[in-house]
Amino acid sequence: MRRISILGATGSIGQNTLDLIRRARGDYDVVALTGGRNIAQLAADAREFGVEVAVTAHEDALPDLRAALDGTGVEAAAGAAALIEAASRPADWTMSAIVGHAGLAPGMAALREGATLALANKESLVTAGPLLLATAKARGARILPVDSEHSAVFQALVGEDIAEAERVIITASGGAFRDWPLEDLPGATVSQASSHPNWDMGQRITIDSASMFNKALELIETKEFFGFTPRQIEVLIHPQSLVHALVGFRDGALMAHIGPPDMRHAIGYALHWPTRRDLPVERLDLAAIGSLEFRAPDLRRYPALGLAQEVMQAGGHAGAVFNAAKERALDHFIAGRTGFTEMTAHVTEAMQAMAPHAEAMGDITLETVAEVDHLTRKQMDAQIRSRA
Ligand code: NAD
Ligand code: MG
């Protein structure tokens, strides 16, 4: 029996992970599940899988969680320290699927205990890539990518020498506004930005797909995880979302990964790695699909891609600044305090204002990343107030 924990179990990735585990119940012993305010879901899953501990991120939700788990023998806990404690319990495989900066410390806790970390939380790599990789190395722990593009790159590299890869192309659907006239983008609403043409995901990542802040994070993630240089990493718009990434080798060959837009493929690959097992995903009928299209992204529509290049060139804490700025700008957009296209202007301004602080911060540690994150959010809030 493999011991499994899921951080962010109530979210889109967490639920897809549980769906796969539910199909092979006898193989897995689920140790810990964590969630946020969806106590009913967290408690139902904790009961169903008979876990040791269920944790909500919110201390004020603990009485509800306790009540929902009464008589089950499942421990209930709440708050940041409880998340770390749960993530530190011995496990063979831990899914890191909390959204945002909040996922970094619990994921690090799992790595420190030597668990294989299935990493959906791309923000960890963007803000603290070198720290994550060094911790994994020191502990003999492995990180397996769960983001679909990175799982695709990882699979295209199986049996290859990465030194012989000369470029990587990750694809993007283009999001909700791919075909909108550019002049309409400033008026885009939250609900319009929250609908994705191909993938069914959490709301925040769906809006980040429309702005391509998500693809910007993925460029940085590609650099941090695989060690490619910024010039080796490209983005192509691919409206069908069937080719997830391509790796180009020195002999000119391009190895593409093709699969349905279903996160259970990437999750299942990480779950069963290094073997492959049957997965409940659609089998593609390429003859029925007929054609696959690709086109270069327009930086006027997707300025976040340009910012990602700047972040990759700067290195250090620039990733933490970028991530915090875009997370906070997104909070303000969702709350109706700023417009869709204004998010980029705000993030650019925050990156400029924060650059000297980020440089002065020195080596990347959990503490420095948290400090940069905190200062950047304050900076963003001040910017939004001053424009109100
Ligand atoms: P989601 O919003 O559906 O779920 C997020 C989970 O994190 C929930 O369990 C929530 O309770 C928990 N959470 C939120 N804020 C928290 C906090 N402050 N502290 C502790 N827990 C908190 O998100 P998702 O779409 O499942 O995405 C999760 C991660 O996976 C993100 O990093 C995202 O970028 C990445 N990812 C998602 C997809 C996808 O298809 N959804 C694809 C690739 C990568
Ligand atoms: Mg992705």
Side-chain angles (χ1 to χ4, degrees), residues 122 147-149 214-215 218:
K122 61 191 84 184
D147 214 347
S148 54
E149 298 77 4
N214 179 52
K215 209 50 57 180
E218 292 182 355

Side-chain angles (χ1 to χ4, degrees), residues 192-246:
Q192 287 166 331
S194 302
S195 83
H196 197 283
N198 304 327
W199 295 91
D200 179 15
M201 307 185 287
Q203 186 194 33
R204 297 182 68 91
I205 185 171
T206 301
I207 300 176
D208 280 350
S209 297
S211 61
M212 280 220 201
F213 273 120
N214 179 52
K215 209 50 57 180
L217 293 184
E218 292 182 355
L219 285 169
I220 304 165
E221 188 185 4
T222 305
K223 169 183 173 263
E224 295 296 338
F225 189 78
F226 297 102
F228 290 108
T229 63
R231 294 172 63 122
Q232 289 177 301
I233 313 169
E234 303 163 37
V235 175
L236 273 184
I237 305 240
H238 169 46
Q240 291 82 14
S241 293
L242 298 175
V243 177
H244 304 300
L246 306 96

Side-chain angles (χ1 to χ4, degrees), residues 29-48:
D29 181 10
V30 184
V31 179
L33 295 179
T34 83
R37 294 227 171 260
N38 191 347
I39 298 300
Q41 185 71 56
L42 180 60
D45 292 335
R47 281 170 182 267
E48 179 188 346

Side-chain angles (χ1 to χ4, degrees), residues 69-94:
L69 290 173
D70 191 32
T72 60
V74 177
E75 274 173 65
L83 282 174
I84 305 285
E85 193 280 325
S88 307
R89 295 197 183 196
D92 301 303
W93 189 92
T94 298

